[in-house]
């Protein structure tokens, strides 16, 4: 029973972290949602950037944003710029999870202040979960 210790939430030891997964691929949304839930996270999903922004504007406050880059209606960069500009996910860890592995995309993500960048094609789901956990521990 992890939640018996009240004072340990500075490292996330006692409460489920909320992860917001934004991707237009419904299979990947389902798979990553299940994988993160089984790893102790509380997942929420959106299938495009516009929906994600509306959910955040509605008051949802995730601990982690896991975002695709290539999506309809609004790409991941535009979505993240809006989230930052409007302070819609204050304090959230931000991770790009995409098939775009070009140096220019990675550099742009860094310039925007993204905390992590994972290329889907080179990572299995359990590695993605491990990377997000490692990034959270570094905070």
């Amino acid at each position: 029973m992890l939640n018996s210790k009240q004072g340990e939430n500075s490292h996330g030891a006692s409460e489920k972290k909320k992860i917001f997964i934004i991707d237009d691929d419904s299979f990947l949304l389902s798979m990553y949602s299940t994988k993160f839930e089984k790893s102790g996270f509380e997942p929420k999903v959106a299938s495009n950037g516009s929906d994600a922004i509306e959910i955040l504007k509605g008051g949802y406050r995730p601990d982690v944003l896991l975002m695709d880059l290539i999506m309809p209606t609004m790409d991941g960069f535009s979505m993240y710029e809006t989230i930052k500009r409007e302070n819609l996910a204050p304090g959230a860890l931000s991770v790009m999870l995409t098939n775009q592995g070009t140096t220019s995309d990675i550099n742009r993500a860094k310039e925007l202040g993204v905390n992590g960048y994972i290329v889907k094609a080179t990572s299995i789901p359990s590695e993605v979960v491990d990377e997000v956990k490692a990034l959270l521990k570094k905070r």
Side-chain angles (χ1 to χ4, degrees):
M1 304 299 164
L2 285 174
N3 44 359
S4 62
K5 294 187 179 182
Q6 291 287 47
E8 284 195 351
N9 66 356
S10 66
H11 293 293
S14 63
E15 65 201 35
K16 279 189 174 188
K17 292 286 186 191
K18 293 187 276 185
I19 185 165
F20 194 15
I21 308 166
I22 305 128
D23 197 309
D24 61 317
D25 184 320
S26 60
F27 172 77
L28 289 179
L29 276 180
S30 175
M31 180 184 62
Y32 280 111
S33 181
T34 300
K35 198 73 172 168
F36 274 99
E37 189 168 26
K38 286 182 178 178
S39 296
F41 286 80
E42 186 180 297
K44 187 171 190 72
V45 299
S47 60
N48 64 62
S50 300
D51 287 352
I53 286 171
E54 289 307 310
I55 289 168
L56 292 169
K57 282 183 177 179
Y60 179 63
R61 291 295 173 259
D63 297 296
V64 180
L65 293 168
L66 187 64
M67 312 163 279
D68 191 12
L69 269 181
I70 307 300
M71 297 183 287
T73 71
M74 179 184 285
D75 70 28
F77 286 134
S78 298
M79 176 191 68
Y80 188 62
E81 286 170 341
T82 300
I83 290 169
K84 280 187 68 169
R85 185 176 58 250
E86 297 184 21
N87 200 27
L88 297 175
L93 181 82
S94 55
V95 181
M96 291 288 180
L97 177 64
T98 180
N99 277 319
Q100 306 305 112
T102 65
T103 304
S104 61
D105 284 334
I106 294 168
N107 287 341
R108 183 165 178 208
K110 284 180 185 173
E111 288 168 12
L112 289 173
V114 171
N115 303 105
Y117 197 101
I118 303 168
V119 178
K120 290 177 190 175
T122 61
S123 303
I124 60 171
S126 60
E127 292 172 332
V128 173
V129 172
D130 290 345
E131 179 67 16
V132 168
K133 285 181 174 181
L135 288 166
L136 280 168
K137 280 183 183 173
K138 287 181 189 175
R139 295 193 118 191

